[in-house]
Amino acid sequence: MSVRIGINPLTWTNDDLPSLGGDTPLEVCLSEGKQAGFAGFELGHKFPRKPEVLGPILDNHGLRLVSGWFSGQLLERSVEAEIAAIQDHLHLLKSLGATAMVYCEVTGCVHGDQNTPVSHRPRLAEDQWETFGAKLTQVADYCLEHGVKIAYHHHMGTVVETEEEIDALMANTGDSVGLLLDTGHLTYAGGDPIAVQQRHADRINHVHCKDIRMQVLADAKNRDLSFLDAVLNGVFTVPGDGGIDYATLFKGLHASGYSGWLVVEAEQDPAVAHPLTFATLGANNLKRLCAEAGITLSA
């Protein structure tokens, strides 16, 4: 069993709201992430997308490529068109040794629109799940043949957000479709990360660790805020700094033999939440939580 800790550059620069950390160079993200104690990074919008360019940059910092987000559109295009669209991303991940692809269906999504309440997200009709799942499985089969397994990201503001929708996704897809367990998004959606981990342990191949400031979440729901306004208000923080029960969750991951990355992905305003400070806090908390749960981190 191999478990490593990584981080997403959202701590420094935000993909959905580029004005957050817009002036922060990639060099700062990587050097501070390494200083904080992480072994790898997920992709962000400031990362070069050619393996021959990005590889040496990561090597110079002693970092690995963990994974990277792909915006799926299977509700709008064919399997063949999706596979064609995914080629460059798949090539980048495979070339640099990343074995999981963060995949999310974004058709009709609202999480990137600051003026739209997250409650206005799209939803799948009952009769759409089987077709969507079959198409996603075909794409996942293709990626797996090339050494990269899809890790489906349930995400606020999209068609797969709630615990029930995760269950439907898992029921309508094959084993080639892995599940990215995102503690923060699932808690925001009213779900239970511990219950989902226990129910779908054999499908989880990637974990995003973000904590929730529960009072900020209650306010965001009460005022029906957009996802980005909730982020700006500080709804997310690093693991161990909010209200999620990571101790129990990590014991479950250990018991199930989870192998993969534990990634701090806690989008905050870097002008308010000093990136190096919170990255270091996140790394230290992950290491402590792993040790308490009996999870041995790989070098």
Side-chain angles (χ1 to χ4, degrees), residues 87-99:
Q87 289 300 315
D88 288 346
H89 191 57
L90 179 61
H91 174 65
L92 175 61
L93 296 179
K94 180 181 178 181
S95 298
L96 296 185
T99 58

Side-chain angles (χ1 to χ4, degrees), residues 53-288:
V53 178
L54 179 57
I57 293 172
L58 293 174
D59 288 344
N60 287 339
H61 289 275
L63 293 165
R64 298 291 300 274
L65 178 62
V66 175
S67 185
W69 170 284
F70 180 79
S71 295
Q73 297 179 56
L74 277 172
L75 293 176
E76 294 182 325
R77 59 191 177 198
S78 67
V79 170
E80 293 75 20
E82 189 82 341
I83 288 174
I86 216 166
Q87 289 300 315
D88 288 346
H89 191 57
L90 179 61
H91 174 65
L92 175 61
L93 296 179
K94 180 181 178 181
S95 298
L96 296 185
T99 58
M101 177 192 297
V102 176
Y103 183 103
C104 181
E105 175 64 42
V106 300
T107 300
C109 67
V110 302
H111 63 275
D113 184 354
Q114 194 172 354
N115 297 314
T116 301
V118 74
S119 62
H120 291 193
R121 70 181 179 96
R123 289 170 172 81
L124 287 183
E126 191 69 30
D127 60 359
Q128 289 182 285
W129 281 104
E130 184 177 355
T131 299
F132 174 62
K135 292 172 69 176
L136 179 58
T137 300
Q138 290 181 63
V139 174
D141 287 345
Y142 176 85
C143 291
L144 192 57
E145 289 172 2
H146 290 78
V148 178
K149 187 171 185 176
I150 279 179
Y152 192 94
H153 193 340
H154 56 94
H155 197 288
M156 295 302 300
T158 73
V159 294
V160 183
E161 181 185 277
T162 67
E163 190 169 336
E164 293 74 21
E165 287 162 348
I166 292 170
D167 290 345
L169 179 76
M170 294 292 95
N172 285 280
T173 54
D175 289 344
S176 61
V177 178
L179 176 63
L180 187 162
L181 177 64
D182 187 301
T183 54
H185 280 277
L186 188 50
T187 302
Y188 196 134
D192 181 355
I194 295 169
V196 169
Q197 186 278 322
Q198 292 173 347
R199 195 156 61 246
H200 299 298
D202 60 334
R203 301 286 292 275
I204 294 171
N205 65 325
H206 203 55
V207 179
H208 276 178
C209 302
K210 59 164 68 72
D211 218 330
I212 291 278
R213 295 184 174 101
M214 296 301 184
Q215 289 184 329
V216 180
L217 176 60
D219 176 70
K221 290 187 172 183
N222 183 56
R223 294 196 285 143
D224 197 19
L225 296 183
S226 68
F227 178 74
L228 290 177
D229 279 344
V231 168
L232 289 171
N233 287 349
V235 70
F236 295 128
T237 184
V238 297
D241 189 45
I244 294 175
D245 181 4
Y246 274 97
T248 300
L249 177 68
F250 276 32
K251 288 176 183 176
L253 289 171
H254 176 58
S256 69
Y258 173 74
S259 181
W261 289 87
L262 301 169
V263 179
V264 170
E265 195 225 26
E267 48 263 65
Q268 300 186 79
D269 183 346
V272 176
H274 183 252
L276 179 57
T277 299
F278 275 88
T280 303
L281 177 62
N284 289 342
N285 283 346
L286 277 187
K287 292 174 183 177
R288 173 181 55 79

